[in-house]
Amino acid sequence: MESPVEGNPRRRTVLAAAGAVAAVAAVDSCSEPAAESHQPADLVLTGGYVHTVDAEDSTHQALAVKDGRIVYVGTTKGASRHIGKGTKVIKLGGRMVMPGLHDGHVHPMSGGQGLLGCDLKYAPLTVEEFQEKIQAYLDKTKAQEPDGWVQVEHWYLQAMRPEGTTLTKADLDALDTKRPIVVKSSDGHTTLVNSRALERAGITSKTDDPGGGRIARDDKGEPTGVLEDDAGDIIARKIPEPSAGENLKIARTALAALAEQGVTTFMDAIASEGGLRAFSTLADQGKLTARAHFAAPVNVDDKDPLKEPTRLRRAFDSGNRITARPRIAVRNTKLFLDGVLQHPAQTAALIDPYLVHQHDHWIAGKKKGEQYWEQEKLNDTVLKLVDAGFDPHMHAIGDQAVRAALTAYAAAREAGHKSNRLTVAHAELVNPKDIPRFGRLDIVAAMGFHWAKPAPDSVDSVKPYLGAKRWAHYEPEGEINESGGRISLGSDWPVDPLDEWTAIKTVITRTAAPDSPFAKHGTMTPHQRLSRATALRAATINGAYQLRQEKHTGSLERGKFADLIVLDRNVMKVPAEEIAETKVLLTMVGGEIVHGSAELD
C-alpha cells in the first residue's frame, strides 16, 4: 500500500512556493532569509513586470538586491528607498523579470561537446546528406587520420528521409576515411558505428549483448553497426577521455549556452568524473555561472550501487551550505529503467505489446520493449540509495517502466523516507492507473517539454504503434499536473536542441512550429496542455523543489538569492506562439550578471 506523504502535492501551488516546505533535508540552517533592510541595495531593478512565482504568482514593479539576496519586491516607489549612492539601478522599461530557469535533466558535457565537434544539428537528412556532412568534417580534420576517433552528435534518427530509412555500418564505411566513426542519435539510445569502430572495440558476431542494451545483427549474426542503449558503452569505453583542458572548454561552452537561455540551476542527469572535475575547477575559480547538481550513474550490473555515487560525492560535493556563489552538489543518482518508444528501436518497456501493421490493420505484436531492472532488485537499490542520503532520478519512458519506478518509490516512502526528492524522468507514456501516484507519493516528473508536439518522433514513430487509447496518455503533463503531481522542466539537451523557450511554448500549445511540415497535425492531445503559469512554475520553483533548494531559489521573494532573468517580452501576455521567440536579455545568479548587460536601454 502507498502511504500519503506529508504535504500532499494536491496543494501544489502552495507547497511549491518558496518557504512552503516545513523541513527540507540537507538545507543549511544558517542560510535563512534575511530581514528587509532600508540600507542601500547593491542593485535595484525598477519599472518592470516582476513575475514572482510565489504562492500566489503575484506580480510587482521592482525589486532590490543586496549581498546576492533579494531584499525587496514591490513597487517602483518602494524600491526607491533602497537606492543609495553606490546602488546600480536597472530601468526595465516594462520588461518582464522572473526567476531563472531550473533545468532538472540535462547533459551539459555532451551538449557542450556537440557544439564544438561534428554537429548534425538535429536536421532531417537523406542518407546522402548525412554522409556529406560527416565527410565535410572529415575533410577539415584530416590531420587526425588514420586513428583519431570521429564523434558525430545530434543525429535525428527518427527524421531520416525518406521516412523509414535505416542506416548500417556500410553507410559509414563508404566515407573517405580510415578513422573509427561513432554517430550518436539525439535521443541518446542508438549509436551507429563503422566497421573500424567495431574492430577497435572488439565487437564481433560472438560478442554477447550487455544487460541493458542490444547489438543489432544481420541474418548471418554479424553486427550491423547499430548499438542500442548500453551496447553503445562498449564503444564509449574505447574512446579516449578528453583532456582536462578540453573538458574545461566543453564545460565553459555549456555554461555559456545555458546562461543565454536563462538557466540558473541545472542537474547533469548522468555525471562523469571528467565533467565533475571541470565544473569543480570552474567553481574554485569563481567562474561557475549556474548552480550545478550532478546525478551519479547507478547501473543494473553494479555489485555495490553505493560505491561510485559515494566516491563522487566525497570527491566533489561542496556540502549542504547554499551560498550566493554557485557551488557543486552531488546528491542525486541516475538509473535507466528502459529505452525509447520510437520505432524501430522500441526499447521502452510497455505493459501491453507494441502494435504491428498486418493486412491493413494494426494488431498487438509480441514486442514489449525491455525493462532493465527486476522489481525486487530495483526496490532494494532505491532503498539503499535513499538510506545513504541520495535522491534517485530514474529514466522511465514506457508505462511499464514508469510503473516500476513508482512502485520502487512507494516502497521507499513506506519505509519512512518522506523527505527525499524522488524523480521520474521523461514519463512519456503513463498508464491512467498510475497517474495519481505521482501526487500521492510526492514524485517529481521531470518532463521533456520539447516532445509534446507533432513530430517524426511522435506522430510518425510512436502514435501508430501505441494505438488511440494509449496515445491519449502520451506526454501526460496535463494529467499528472491535474491529479496533484509536480512537473519540472527537463530539457534533456542535447537529446533536443537547447531551446528552453520553444520547449515552454510547446508544453503550453502542444503544436509544432508554424513552418514545420507537422503543423498540419494541429494540437497534439490538447487535454495534456499546461497553462502558462503552470509551465513557468514547472521551469522554476518545481525544479528548485526537485533539487532541494526551493527555500533559496525558484521564486522572487525577499530573502531568496537573486537568481533571475530579464526577458525581451512578457511571456504571460504575448500570443503563445511568440513565447518560442523569447530572448533572455540578462541572466543573474546570486546577484552577479552571468549573461547580458545591465544596460538594457
Side-chain angles (χ1 to χ4, degrees), residues 32-362:
E32 294 299 319
E36 183 175 358
S37 169
H38 294 300
Q39 294 179 352
D42 301 319
L43 174 71
V44 168
L45 289 82
T46 183
Y49 179 94
V50 181
H51 184 68
T52 63
V53 196
D54 63 9
E56 292 78 33
D57 277 332
S58 64
T59 59
H60 299 279
Q61 298 173 323
L63 60 80
V65 177
K66 185 173 180 61
D67 297 329
R69 291 187 182 270
I70 298 168
V71 295
Y72 175 81
V73 182
T75 65
T76 293
K77 181 178 179 180
S80 67
R81 298 197 297 270
H82 294 269
I83 298 175
K85 190 173 182 180
T87 303
K88 172 66 179 179
V89 178
I90 298 177
K91 296 181 179 180
L92 296 167
R95 294 183 179 92
M96 182 171 176
V97 181
M98 63 173 281
L101 303 184
H102 292 55
D103 194 328
H105 186 108
V106 67
H107 305 281
M109 293 302 288
S110 296
Q113 186 173 47
L115 294 175
L116 295 169
C118 184
D119 185 359
L120 297 184
K121 300 181 178 179
Y122 312 90
L125 302 171
T126 64
V127 174
E128 292 75 16
E129 291 168 337
F130 173 87
Q131 291 172 321
E132 288 171 1
K133 289 183 178 295
I134 298 175
Q135 187 64 59
Y137 178 81
L138 289 165
D139 293 343
K140 288 192 300 182
T141 56
K142 282 187 176 181
Q144 297 180 35
E145 290 284 351
D147 297 321
W149 285 84
V150 181
Q151 298 186 70
V152 183
E153 306 284 348
H154 307 157
W155 169 39
Y156 197 169
L157 167 63
Q158 292 80 23
M160 289 296 295
R161 291 292 179 256
E163 184 179 343
T165 295
T166 58
L167 300 178
T168 69
K169 61 186 178 183
D171 297 296
L172 296 177
D173 290 345
L175 298 174
D176 183 18
T177 185
K178 295 181 179 179
R179 296 166 65 184
I181 303 175
V182 181
V183 185
K184 301 175 185 177
S185 68
S186 58
D187 63 25
H189 293 269
T190 300
T191 302
L192 175 69
V193 300
N194 64 354
S195 294
R196 181 76 193 288
L198 290 172
E199 177 188 334
R200 291 281 294 272
I203 298 175
T204 70
S205 59
K206 297 180 181 179
T207 305
D208 292 334
D209 290 345
R214 182 173 65 90
I215 301 169
R217 305 170 196 271
D218 62 21
D219 293 340
K220 297 180 180 180
E222 292 296 327
T224 66
V226 175
L227 308 171
E228 303 289 357
D229 289 313
D230 285 359
D233 291 345
I234 303 173
I235 292 286
R237 288 192 289 268
K238 298 297 181 179
I239 301 174
E241 291 288 333
S243 67
E246 289 169 336
N247 274 332
L248 276 175
K249 183 177 181 180
I250 291 169
R252 286 195 299 265
T253 300
L255 284 170
L258 289 165
E260 185 176 356
Q261 290 289 313
V263 175
T264 56
T265 291
F266 69 86
M267 190 194 80
D268 183 334
I270 184 163
S272 66
E273 182 163 0
L276 272 164
R277 197 171 300 282
F279 283 108
S280 294
T281 298
L282 293 175
D284 291 342
Q285 296 173 349
K287 297 178 180 178
L288 186 62
T289 56
R291 304 187 191 279
H293 296 252
F294 296 85
V298 175
N299 299 314
V300 67
D301 296 328
D302 289 345
K303 293 181 180 180
D304 180 0
L306 291 175
K307 183 178 180 180
E308 187 67 2
T310 301
R311 184 183 72 82
L312 293 176
R313 181 171 61 183
R314 287 173 176 167
F316 297 105
D317 187 81
S318 58
N320 292 334
R321 185 168 180 267
I322 301 175
T323 62
R325 175 172 287 183
R327 304 172 79 194
I328 300 293
V330 187
R331 298 161 208 163
N332 296 88
T333 54
K334 173 67 174 293
L335 294 81
F336 279 97
L337 267 60
D338 66 347
V340 295
L341 283 170
Q342 284 72 21
H343 185 271
Q346 293 182 329
T347 49
L350 299 188
I351 296 170
D352 297 311
Y354 291 91
L355 303 184
V356 295
H357 194 242
Q358 288 186 2
H359 308 299
D360 297 325
H361 295 285
W362 288 90

